[in-house]
């Protein structure tokens, strides 16, 4: 898949509102929708790669999970380990016990189920859960336990009609999400079946559900509409918004429009918005977005726990800056080395992953 700097820029658009929302910004009261943007990006990139490899006859489950381990495990387990050390010094025994449960759940990618059973995302106890944000990683990995097998089955026995079989699954997942956001808000927020449609939106984009947009003015208009949908959700949603459900259409469709209109396949170059997203500072922020997402929340929780009183604006700003610094270091010295197959081959990678999980 051709590298697209605008998608890294879109990652920045996803992660920055999340960080600012967690930092207590009233302006970015809907910053939690950044996770939904990440889901669409993930579905688009990973779904497209899986489909192409299956078409070429070179897809294997082992290689797929090797890539997932290289992408997720190093930074995740670094953050869990560092959080465990800090928690052992600063947490009271009951909170430290709860941290241990969440660390085990995050390791096994069932954190979303644990936190769904404990409390809502916006409840006060979130302030003593340094690994609360790992729920979204669990949703993704639960999705990718099933999705590759589904793609293989459809390719081999159902004539490769992926769009025809995935579209009803997307509609069903969205219908569950729309109903559940009203009647079962906590489970709808955390569980994979009601989030799958967001990932599948990206997947179906990669599979060519929508034809390239040939008219320049229409591409520009839809790109601006996509950015407006995301901005509306980030700036207007808050803890009282029924979510995900129908309201999740704002960030999901917004991200989908930005990905689709920024696609270079039309030969007409990028839109104004895609060129903005390709701005180097945004691209660099997108590159560190995974590490920034992992680091920022534990730091906010620990700083608040130690301080007892709510953090001042200056204190919170210092915590965010520290998160960015750690994210840069984590991306450079943890994430990147593990992505190189020449530095770390598959066998020691899997052995290290199993050891770290144990």
């Amino acid at each position: 898949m051709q590298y697209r700097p605008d998608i890294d820029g879109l990652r920045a658009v996803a992660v920055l509102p999340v960080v600012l929302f967690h930092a207590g910004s009233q302006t970015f009261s809907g910053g939690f929708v950044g996770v939904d943007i990440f889901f669409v990006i993930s579905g688009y990139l990973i779904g497209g790669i899986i489909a192409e490899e299956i078409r070429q006859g070179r897809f294997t489950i082992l290689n797929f999970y090797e890539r997932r381990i290289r992408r997720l495990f190093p930074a995740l387990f670094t953050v869990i380990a560092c959080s465990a050390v800090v928690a052992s010094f600063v947490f009271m025994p009951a909170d430290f016990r709860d941290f241990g449960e969440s660390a085990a759940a995050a390791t096994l990618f069932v954190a979303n189920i644990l936190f769904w059973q404990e409390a809502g995302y916006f409840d006060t106890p979130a302030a003593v859960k340094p690994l609360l944000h790992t729920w979204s990683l669990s949703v993704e990995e639960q999705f990718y336990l099933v999705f590759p097998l589904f793609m293989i089955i459809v390719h081999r026995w159902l004539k490769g009609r992926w769009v025809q079989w995935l579209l009803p699954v997307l509609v069903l997942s969205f219908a569950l999400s729309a109903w559940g956001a009203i009647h079962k808000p906590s489970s709808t927020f955390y569980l994979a079946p009601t989030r799958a449609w967001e990932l599948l939106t990206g997947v179906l984009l990669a599979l060519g559900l929508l034809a390239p947009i040939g008219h320049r003015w229409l591409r520009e208009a839809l790109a601006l509409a996509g950015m407006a949908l995301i901005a509306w959700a980030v700036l207007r949603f808050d803890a009282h918004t029924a979510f995900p459900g129908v309201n999740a259409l704002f960030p999901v469709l917004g991200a989908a429009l930005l990905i689709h209109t920024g696609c270079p396949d039309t030969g007409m170059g990028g839109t104004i918005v895609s060129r903005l997203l390709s701005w180097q500072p945004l691209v660099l922020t997108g590159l560190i977005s995974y590490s920034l997402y992992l680091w920022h929340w534990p730091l906010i929780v620990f700083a608040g726990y130690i301080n007892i009183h709510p953090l001042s604006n200056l204190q919170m700003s210092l915590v965010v800056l520290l998160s960015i610094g750690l994210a840069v270091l984590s991306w450079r010295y943890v994430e990147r080395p593990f992505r190189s197959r020449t530095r770390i081959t598959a066998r020691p990678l899997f052995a290290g992953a199993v050891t770290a999980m144990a």
Side-chain angles (χ1 to χ4, degrees):
M1 184 174 288
Q2 180 181 350
Y3 172 68
R4 289 179 52 182
D6 62 306
I7 290 184
D8 270 331
L10 186 57
R11 284 193 175 104
V13 170
V15 76
L16 290 175
V18 173
V19 173
L20 293 170
F21 166 70
H22 284 157
S25 170
Q26 296 299 315
T27 302
F28 296 88
S29 58
F32 53 88
V33 304
V35 171
D36 305 85
I37 299 172
F38 276 126
F39 284 158
V40 178
I41 295 172
S42 175
Y44 177 76
L45 295 176
I46 298 176
I49 291 170
I50 290 174
E52 187 61 28
E53 290 187 348
I54 290 176
R55 290 191 189 106
Q56 296 175 3
R58 59 188 183 88
F59 177 81
T60 67
I61 295 293
L62 193 66
N63 284 340
F64 173 72
Y65 285 116
E66 179 190 343
R67 289 199 300 267
R68 297 303 291 164
I69 289 171
R70 291 183 187 276
R71 176 75 175 102
L72 298 180
F73 278 38
L76 174 63
F77 284 115
T78 299
V79 169
I80 291 176
C82 291
S83 298
V85 172
V86 176
S88 70
F89 281 100
V90 304
F91 271 1
M92 297 293 285
D95 295 326
F96 188 47
R97 178 200 61 206
D98 292 341
F99 171 84
E101 292 180 355
S102 64
T107 298
L108 299 173
F109 294 102
V110 291
N112 59 326
I113 297 173
L114 173 69
F115 294 129
W116 160 57
Q117 292 174 336
E118 287 183 350
Y121 186 73
F122 300 104
D123 291 347
T124 302
V128 293
K129 296 178 181 178
L131 300 180
L132 175 63
H133 61 326
T134 60
W135 73 268
S136 63
L137 302 181
S138 298
V139 168
E140 272 203 51
E141 291 318 293
Q142 289 161 20
F143 177 82
Y144 290 123
L145 280 175
V146 177
F147 176 70
L149 297 175
F150 182 91
M151 295 285 282
I152 292 171
I153 290 170
V154 173
H155 179 73
R156 290 185 179 177
W157 291 290
L158 299 172
K159 301 180 180 179
R161 295 173 178 172
W162 288 316
V163 173
Q164 178 180 325
W165 289 95
L166 285 173
L167 195 55
V169 178
L170 183 152
V171 172
L172 177 60
S173 173
F174 174 73
L176 285 172
S177 182
W179 178 86
I182 304 299
H183 301 284
K184 301 285 184 180
S186 184
S187 56
T188 302
F189 189 95
Y190 279 112
L191 300 185
T194 48
R195 291 286 190 168
W197 69 275
E198 302 179 19
L199 289 137
L200 288 173
T201 298
V203 170
L204 288 171
L205 271 183
L207 294 177
L209 175 65
L210 301 178
I213 303 169
H215 299 287
R216 177 105 196 170
W217 66 267
L218 183 57
R219 291 178 69 220
E220 295 286 359
L222 289 175
L224 290 171
M227 187 61 80
L229 286 171
I230 292 174
W232 177 266
V234 169
L235 300 176
R236 301 297 296 177
F237 289 2
D238 57 28
H240 303 292
T241 303
F243 201 85
V246 174
N247 285 316
L249 285 171
F250 285 86
V252 170
L253 291 182
L257 285 173
L258 292 178
I259 292 171
H260 188 57
T261 55
C263 185
D265 294 346
T266 58
M268 292 188 296
T271 63
I272 294 173
V273 174
S274 70
R275 289 194 292 272
L276 173 64
L277 293 174
S278 301
W279 184 43
Q280 197 64 16
L282 283 178
V283 172
L284 292 175
T285 304
L287 289 174
I288 67 167
S289 60
Y290 176 56
S291 282
L292 179 56
Y293 180 77
L294 288 177
W295 280 108
H296 83 281
W297 180 245
L299 290 178
I300 290 173
V301 169
F302 288 132
Y305 197 94
I306 294 169
N307 200 55
I308 301 177
H309 301 291
L311 297 176
S312 67
N313 290 336
L314 176 59
Q315 289 172 322
M316 188 62 78
S317 298
L318 292 175
V319 170
V320 171
L321 288 175
L322 178 59
S323 303
I324 295 171
L326 287 174
V328 172
L329 294 174
S330 178
W331 171 74
R332 175 64 183 85
Y333 296 107
V334 179
E335 287 191 62
R336 287 183 63 185
F338 278 90
R339 294 185 191 180
S340 172
R341 293 191 176 188
T342 55
R343 287 187 181 184
I344 303 171
T345 57
R347 181 171 294 181
L349 179 77
F350 280 109
V354 171
T355 302
M357 293 179 76

